[in-house]
Amino acid sequence: MAEIKDVGRLPADYAANGFYGQDILSVSQFDKEKLAYIFGVAHEMRVLVERFGSADLLQGKILANLFYEPSTRTSSSFMAAMLRLGGQVIPINNVQYSSVTKGESLPDTVRTLESYADVIVLRHPEVGAAATAAHYARKPVINAGDGVGEHPTQALLDLFTIVEDLGSVQNLRVAMVGDLKYGRTVHSLTKLLVNYDVTFDFVSPEILAMPEDVLDVVRRHGHSFRVTDSVHEVIGDADVLYVTRVQKERFTDLAQYDRVRDHYVVDEELMTKAKPHMIVMHPLPRVNEIAYGVDDDPRAAYFRQMRNGMYIRMALLAAVLGKA
Ligand code: NCD
């Protein structure tokens, strides 16, 4: 068991969930039991929001939302999650207006924010930044994306959406399409799905292939997978088509980006080749990968994913602060 961080005096309604006072840095922290717990709480959060809009579970608690990279969904869903549970938020979405611009280091910024807040959500361009922040912080740190590394809370909401939409994660064929090299969401989701009965198709241009270390995790867990650059080859077999944006900001050579940017477009024509119960997922933002004509197809799950993100983040905040 990891060290329990300082989240205030143990609450009277404390639930021994294994998350109390913990950092959330990687999907490797989650086994099936922990996933079931978070998904159960997320489900309750949905009911709570639909019935009452908000609650006072985290009243008196403060979240510092620290984003060194652009974000719409992750940052606002963490904010909404905290506000709907009765807590408050210090939003730092524009680090250029903070002392980061004056040269303040990540450890010092984190030490500052934890003097005011009970939990820190961090997005940062460097792999391992969340772990570094967690090392220095006495308060829990939640990784909201560390460069091309991981995006654990996105993977949780992705898996939650699969379970909600398809009923279970049994005997599924999951195709991941697009920028598998730089896309942190597919790294985290793959590492989470290896715990289940899943076969993978990794679909990308060769220069954007899934990194070997992630493929090693898949191999180690004994899953079979196919690697191809053709979405047509996999579309008929897929139960889940997980589409990603080519991560322009990670390229050093923009000419190379231009060569691969519009490699895949999921449109109505392609959807006619898919199973009737397949779901199309995307962490968003989309650039050109999914045509707007697909949005009204009931198989388009990306807007449901977005809503689920708030419920999952409500569950995580409550669990970490000991109130779930
Ligand atoms: C993703 C991210 O930041 O990694 N966005 C998100 O959090 N929903 C995906 C992306 O930016 O392409």
Side-chain angles (χ1 to χ4, degrees), residues 3-11 14 19-23 58 60-62 114 117-120 138-142 316-323:
E3 166 210 6
I4 295 182
K5 292 195 158 178
D6 175 15
V7 280
R9 214 150 29 91
L10 201 63
Y14 162 72
F19 290 98
Y20 179 70
Q22 300 299 307
D23 303 305
L58 297 184
K61 297 290 184 187
I62 295 179
E114 72 171 356
D118 302 287
V119 55
I120 297 170
R138 287 173 300 110
K139 306 273 173 75
V141 172
I142 301 179
L316 286 171
L317 288 170
V320 165
L321 297 172
K323 298 279 192 144

Side-chain angles (χ1 to χ4, degrees), residues 69-71 73-74 123 144-145 147 151 154 183-185 244-245 247 249-250 282-285 313:
E69 281 191 337
S71 171
R73 271 151 294 272
T74 307
R123 170 170 289 184
H151 193 348
Q154 176 74 42
R184 55 192 169 203
T185 68
T244 63
R245 169 180 75 89
Q247 310 275 299
E249 66 274 31
R250 311 287 181 213
H282 194 304
L284 302 176
R313 289 168 177 136

Side-chain angles (χ1 to χ4, degrees), residues 1-64:
M1 169 99 180
E3 166 210 6
I4 295 182
K5 292 195 158 178
D6 175 15
V7 280
R9 214 150 29 91
L10 201 63
D13 52 354
Y14 162 72
N17 56 40
F19 290 98
Y20 179 70
Q22 300 299 307
D23 303 305
I24 308 282
L25 303 177
S26 159
V27 289
S28 60
Q29 289 169 253
F30 292 83
D31 55 22
K32 277 185 171 170
E33 203 181 316
K34 288 205 159 114
L35 290 168
Y37 175 80
I38 290 296
F39 292 173
V41 178
H43 208 82
E44 286 172 29
M45 294 301 184
R46 183 206 301 277
V47 174
L48 185 153
V49 170
E50 285 172 357
R51 280 205 198 140
F52 308 108
S54 63
D56 60 3
L57 206 63
L58 297 184
Q59 197 171 29
K61 297 290 184 187
I62 295 179
L63 157 70

